[in-house]
Amino acid sequence: AGLALDTEPLAMMPIHAEWRGMNPGTMMIGRRGQLFNWYPFQKIGAGNFNSVVVAPSGSGKSFFLQDHALSMAMQGVKTYVLEKGESFRKNCKIADGDHVKFGQGSQIKINPFLGICAHGGDEVKDLKMYATGILTTMAGVGEADMIYQTTLQKALDEALILKPNGISIDDVVSVLEADSLKEGYGLARRLYPYTNKGTYGSYFSSDAGSIDFKKLFTLIEFENITDKNLLSVIMEVFILEIMKQHLLGDRKTHFQIIVDEAWKLLDISPKLLAGLARTIRKYEGALVTCVQGIDSFEGNDDRRNVLNNSAWVLLFSQGEHGLNALSEKTVFKDHLPLIESLRFRPERGYSEVFIMHPNVKIVGRVKVDPLASTLFSTNAADFARIRDLEAEGHNTLDAAKIRTGELYD
């Protein structure tokens, strides 16, 4: 008899089983019925903790993200959700989280540059990179305008040296106004709306502080902000606030930043998301970038780098356009038949997701019970009924239970 490798008998055994997943994590079900947990912070070989979620409208993304956000927070992962809307409001209440509403009439003021030093280690360099990204977006500087980007970075550095105890956007503008080059003066005028005297100055007041995120679940909601550029600026400011807390404070707790409908940031400030995707792992963090199509990561290197620097890719059921876009990428070509087989079956209470990692390829079914289905529902009637029940004095969970009884009894 010939010799055999010790791995060969396993390959020839008539046993077929599905991936058992990780512990802890977000629970799913394999196609053969195997329960498994998905936990992006568990190391499976090399790579980071970032995820990209690609899901067309109506494919089950909302249910999954709500379930994942709540599961992670309940398991000790600090979870920050950036969204425009109220999809995560009920999750935030159940998790006893902080609900930060930022928009017209908001009393919240943030000085995004507070706490950043002129000199320091990697964490200071990273914070200055994020801060420069905010200035770039405020000034409407394009990705190809390297001279303007360098000028803004230089102005930030000089302002930090001149006022080591803390600067505001006004201090950066003062440095630019004193610049002998025309680029500096032009950029100062572009930044004027964000100064104390400008249209948006009330949001970024020089006497404002930072936000201290203490809860495990934080929902940051941008309501009634129609200006696309202002929306991107505010989203970037909150990302910087989150990173300041973890870079300058807690470096042990896992945390994740979920950016829903991330194409808005990819359109205006892909450099910031690319930098975040590249550096967040150093601080035990994960970026979850949610888009409707894989082509959101095309157009420039920064967009592509967000995808390339995400170890996990989660694909929900794709339409014809999505499948065509995926077929053009080498990494997905071998898996197209499996991706085409993904189904969204609301009548059976599940949606399927293909989870891709360099060392893991698995199809999971996101399946929720009737109570969770009501809780995560974005249906207008369910939403309104739960609101009415809350107004009557019921807490969110009890309101969801009552609504579930009305639907299923």
PDB file of all heavy atoms in Angstrom, residues 249-260:
ATOM      1  N   GLY A 249      -7.783  57.693  23.315  1.00  0.00           N
ATOM      2  CA  GLY A 249      -8.289  57.113  24.550  1.00  0.00           C
ATOM      3  C   GLY A 249      -8.263  55.603  24.524  1.00  0.00           C
ATOM      4  O   GLY A 249      -7.202  54.967  24.545  1.00  0.00           O
ATOM      5  N   ASP A 250      -9.467  55.010  24.422  1.00  0.00           N
ATOM      6  CA  ASP A 250      -9.616  53.559  24.479  1.00  0.00           C
ATOM      7  C   ASP A 250      -9.042  52.896  23.228  1.00  0.00           C
ATOM      8  O   ASP A 250      -9.539  53.088  22.132  1.00  0.00           O
ATOM      9  CB  ASP A 250     -11.106  53.225  24.612  1.00  0.00           C
ATOM     10  CG  ASP A 250     -11.357  51.726  24.765  1.00  0.00           C
ATOM     11  OD1 ASP A 250     -10.372  50.969  24.852  1.00  0.00           O
ATOM     12  OD2 ASP A 250     -12.528  51.330  24.803  1.00  0.00           O
ATOM     13  N   ARG A 251      -7.984  52.092  23.429  1.00  0.00           N
ATOM     14  CA  ARG A 251      -7.353  51.409  22.290  1.00  0.00           C
ATOM     15  C   ARG A 251      -7.515  49.890  22.400  1.00  0.00           C
ATOM     16  O   ARG A 251      -6.874  49.154  21.659  1.00  0.00           O
ATOM     17  CB  ARG A 251      -5.861  51.759  22.248  1.00  0.00           C
ATOM     18  CG  ARG A 251      -5.563  53.233  22.033  1.00  0.00           C
ATOM     19  CD  ARG A 251      -5.624  53.603  20.577  1.00  0.00           C
ATOM     20  NE  ARG A 251      -4.490  53.068  19.860  1.00  0.00           N
ATOM     21  CZ  ARG A 251      -3.327  53.703  19.683  1.00  0.00           C
ATOM     22  NH1 ARG A 251      -3.139  54.903  20.191  1.00  0.00           N
ATOM     23  NH2 ARG A 251      -2.363  53.138  18.992  1.00  0.00           N
ATOM     24  N   LYS A 252      -8.379  49.441  23.326  1.00  0.00           N
ATOM     25  CA  LYS A 252      -8.537  48.000  23.531  1.00  0.00           C
ATOM     26  C   LYS A 252      -9.879  47.473  23.044  1.00  0.00           C
ATOM     27  O   LYS A 252      -9.975  46.332  22.594  1.00  0.00           O
ATOM     28  CB  LYS A 252      -8.375  47.664  25.020  1.00  0.00           C
ATOM     29  CG  LYS A 252      -6.984  47.965  25.570  1.00  0.00           C
ATOM     30  CD  LYS A 252      -6.901  47.615  27.048  1.00  0.00           C
ATOM     31  CE  LYS A 252      -5.513  47.924  27.613  1.00  0.00           C
ATOM     32  NZ  LYS A 252      -5.432  47.620  29.065  1.00  0.00           N
ATOM     33  N   THR A 253     -10.923  48.293  23.133  1.00  0.00           N
ATOM     34  CA  THR A 253     -12.267  47.840  22.780  1.00  0.00           C
ATOM     35  C   THR A 253     -12.462  47.843  21.274  1.00  0.00           C
ATOM     36  O   THR A 253     -12.168  48.831  20.593  1.00  0.00           O
ATOM     37  CB  THR A 253     -13.329  48.753  23.425  1.00  0.00           C
ATOM     38  OG1 THR A 253     -13.148  48.748  24.844  1.00  0.00           O
ATOM     39  CG2 THR A 253     -14.736  48.270  23.092  1.00  0.00           C
ATOM     40  N   HIS A 254     -12.965  46.733  20.731  1.00  0.00           N
ATOM     41  CA  HIS A 254     -13.323  46.700  19.314  1.00  0.00           C
ATOM     42  C   HIS A 254     -14.439  47.704  19.049  1.00  0.00           C
ATOM     43  O   HIS A 254     -15.347  47.874  19.859  1.00  0.00           O
ATOM     44  CB  HIS A 254     -13.806  45.301  18.909  1.00  0.00           C
ATOM     45  CG  HIS A 254     -12.726  44.280  18.809  1.00  0.00           C
ATOM     46  ND1 HIS A 254     -11.529  44.503  18.157  1.00  0.00           N
ATOM     47  CD2 HIS A 254     -12.660  43.001  19.262  1.00  0.00           C
ATOM     48  CE1 HIS A 254     -10.781  43.415  18.217  1.00  0.00           C
ATOM     49  NE2 HIS A 254     -11.439  42.495  18.885  1.00  0.00           N
ATOM     50  N   PHE A 255     -14.367  48.353  17.905  1.00  0.00           N
ATOM     51  CA  PHE A 255     -15.443  49.262  17.516  1.00  0.00           C
ATOM     52  C   PHE A 255     -15.639  49.198  16.009  1.00  0.00           C
ATOM     53  O   PHE A 255     -14.736  48.820  15.262  1.00  0.00           O
ATOM     54  CB  PHE A 255     -15.155  50.703  17.959  1.00  0.00           C
ATOM     55  CG  PHE A 255     -14.040  51.395  17.212  1.00  0.00           C
ATOM     56  CD1 PHE A 255     -14.311  52.265  16.158  1.00  0.00           C
ATOM     57  CD2 PHE A 255     -12.717  51.198  17.565  1.00  0.00           C
ATOM     58  CE1 PHE A 255     -13.298  52.908  15.479  1.00  0.00           C
ATOM     59  CE2 PHE A 255     -11.688  51.846  16.893  1.00  0.00           C
ATOM     60  CZ  PHE A 255     -11.975  52.701  15.840  1.00  0.00           C
ATOM     61  N   GLN A 256     -16.843  49.530  15.568  1.00  0.00           N
ATOM     62  CA  GLN A 256     -17.140  49.539  14.144  1.00  0.00           C
ATOM     63  C   GLN A 256     -17.917  50.811  13.791  1.00  0.00           C
ATOM     64  O   GLN A 256     -18.738  51.283  14.576  1.00  0.00           O
ATOM     65  CB  GLN A 256     -17.936  48.300  13.730  1.00  0.00           C
ATOM     66  CG  GLN A 256     -19.290  48.152  14.384  1.00  0.00           C
ATOM     67  CD  GLN A 256     -20.085  46.972  13.828  1.00  0.00           C
ATOM     68  OE1 GLN A 256     -19.679  46.325  12.863  1.00  0.00           O
ATOM     69  NE2 GLN A 256     -21.234  46.683  14.428  1.00  0.00           N
ATOM     70  N   ILE A 257     -17.612  51.335  12.606  1.00  0.00           N
ATOM     71  CA  ILE A 257     -18.328  52.486  12.070  1.00  0.00           C
ATOM     72  C   ILE A 257     -19.096  52.001  10.846  1.00  0.00           C
ATOM     73  O   ILE A 257     -18.498  51.585   9.851  1.00  0.00           O
ATOM     74  CB  ILE A 257     -17.370  53.618  11.671  1.00  0.00           C
ATOM     75  CG1 ILE A 257     -16.541  54.075  12.879  1.00  0.00           C
ATOM     76  CG2 ILE A 257     -18.137  54.802  11.086  1.00  0.00           C
ATOM     77  CD1 ILE A 257     -15.476  55.113  12.536  1.00  0.00           C
ATOM     78  N   ILE A 258     -20.412  52.025  10.935  1.00  0.00           N
ATOM     79  CA  ILE A 258     -21.268  51.604   9.828  1.00  0.00           C
ATOM     80  C   ILE A 258     -21.711  52.849   9.071  1.00  0.00           C
ATOM     81  O   ILE A 258     -22.396  53.712   9.625  1.00  0.00           O
ATOM     82  CB  ILE A 258     -22.496  50.825  10.327  1.00  0.00           C
ATOM     83  CG1 ILE A 258     -22.062  49.556  11.075  1.00  0.00           C
ATOM     84  CG2 ILE A 258     -23.421  50.469   9.167  1.00  0.00           C
ATOM     85  CD1 ILE A 258     -23.212  48.776  11.698  1.00  0.00           C
ATOM     86  N   VAL A 259     -21.303  52.954   7.816  1.00  0.00           N
ATOM     87  CA  VAL A 259     -21.695  54.085   6.973  1.00  0.00           C
ATOM     88  C   VAL A 259     -22.734  53.575   5.980  1.00  0.00           C
ATOM     89  O   VAL A 259     -22.394  52.921   4.988  1.00  0.00           O
ATOM     90  CB  VAL A 259     -20.485  54.701   6.240  1.00  0.00           C
ATOM     91  CG1 VAL A 259     -20.918  55.948   5.459  1.00  0.00           C
ATOM     92  CG2 VAL A 259     -19.383  55.068   7.237  1.00  0.00           C
ATOM     93  N   ASP A 260     -24.002  53.871   6.277  1.00  0.00           N
ATOM     94  CA  ASP A 260     -25.062  53.438   5.378  1.00  0.00           C
ATOM     95  C   ASP A 260     -25.147  54.395   4.196  1.00  0.00           C
ATOM     96  O   ASP A 260     -24.906  55.594   4.344  1.00  0.00           O
ATOM     97  CB  ASP A 260     -26.396  53.400   6.131  1.00  0.00           C
ATOM     98  CG  ASP A 260     -27.431  52.540   5.434  1.00  0.00           C
ATOM     99  OD1 ASP A 260     -27.079  51.864   4.453  1.00  0.00           O
ATOM    100  OD2 ASP A 260     -28.593  52.532   5.877  1.00  0.00           O
TER     101      ASP A 260
END
